[in-house]
Amino acid sequence: RAQPAQQASPGGASQSPAMPQASSSRVVELPSMRDYQLGPESTRATFTLLDAQVSPRSSEKDSLRLQVRMTNHDRFDHPFWDRSFRLIIDGGVPVAPESELVELVPAQSAKEGAVIFSIPHGTPGGELEINYGDDKTSVPLVFAAKTK
């Protein structure tokens, strides 16, 4: 099970360049704890949720875009990729990301990346599952109706 990491300051997280926003984009309500430590002590990594939004993709589908930072605390490089994430919606349906995040995080450093899911239009929320080695955690996400 994940262990809470030290809380990142709201203004301290670096943001990626802003993407064009559709007028009907929805804010994703992130939990107050945004840092999740996973893995055994010797190969521990911290996953930090930096930002999230839902925007229209088509009349039937929306895109959920999560900006995530992986901090590698190990002395060896580790992969940071889509296969570490699943979105659980509709009472248990796992959805794999459609983005192509495939990075190698050098030892004792961090990288940021976007994880993008295609979800049915109007989905009210879900559980983000983060897997790292034999460890995993679930993070509740609520897709608010208000626009950014």
Side-chain angles (χ1 to χ4, degrees):
R1 196 76 188 148
Q3 297 178 3
Q6 188 173 14
Q7 184 76 283
S9 65
S14 62
Q15 297 292 327
S16 63
M19 292 182 56
Q21 302 280 324
S23 61
S24 58
S25 292
R26 293 185 285 158
V27 173
V28 177
E29 295 177 13
L30 294 172
S32 57
M33 185 178 88
R34 296 184 186 184
D35 295 325
Y36 303 91
Q37 288 188 356
L38 298 168
E41 189 72 34
S42 62
T43 61
R44 181 141 298 160
T46 301
F47 292 85
T48 304
L49 300 180
L50 301 173
D51 189 36
Q53 73 175 24
V54 174
S55 56
R57 175 178 270 190
S58 71
S59 61
E60 297 176 1
K61 295 282 186 179
D62 289 336
S63 288
L64 168 64
R65 183 182 189 280
L66 300 166
Q67 189 70 22
V68 181
R69 178 187 306 124
M70 178 186 165
T71 304
N72 177 8
H73 303 286
D74 196 6
R75 59 187 180 117
F76 299 105
D77 300 350
H78 283 280
F80 176 33
W81 49 20
D82 282 347
R83 69 171 49 176
S84 297
F85 303 91
R86 292 292 180 267
L87 183 66
I88 311 301
I89 59 171
D90 295 331
V93 177
V95 177
E98 291 187 347
S99 46
E100 297 180 7
L101 177 63
V102 180
E103 295 282 345
L104 192 60
V105 181
Q108 301 296 317
S109 63
K111 281 194 178 181
E112 292 181 14
V115 180
I116 302 170
F117 295 92
S118 178
I119 57 175
H121 182 68
T123 301
E127 296 275 328
L128 176 66
E129 190 174 88
I130 306 172
N131 296 285
Y132 184 73
D134 292 332
D135 210 359
K136 70 179 176 180
T137 192
S138 292
V139 181
L141 300 175
V142 177
F143 311 149
K146 61 185 175 180
T147 58
K148 258 187 170 174

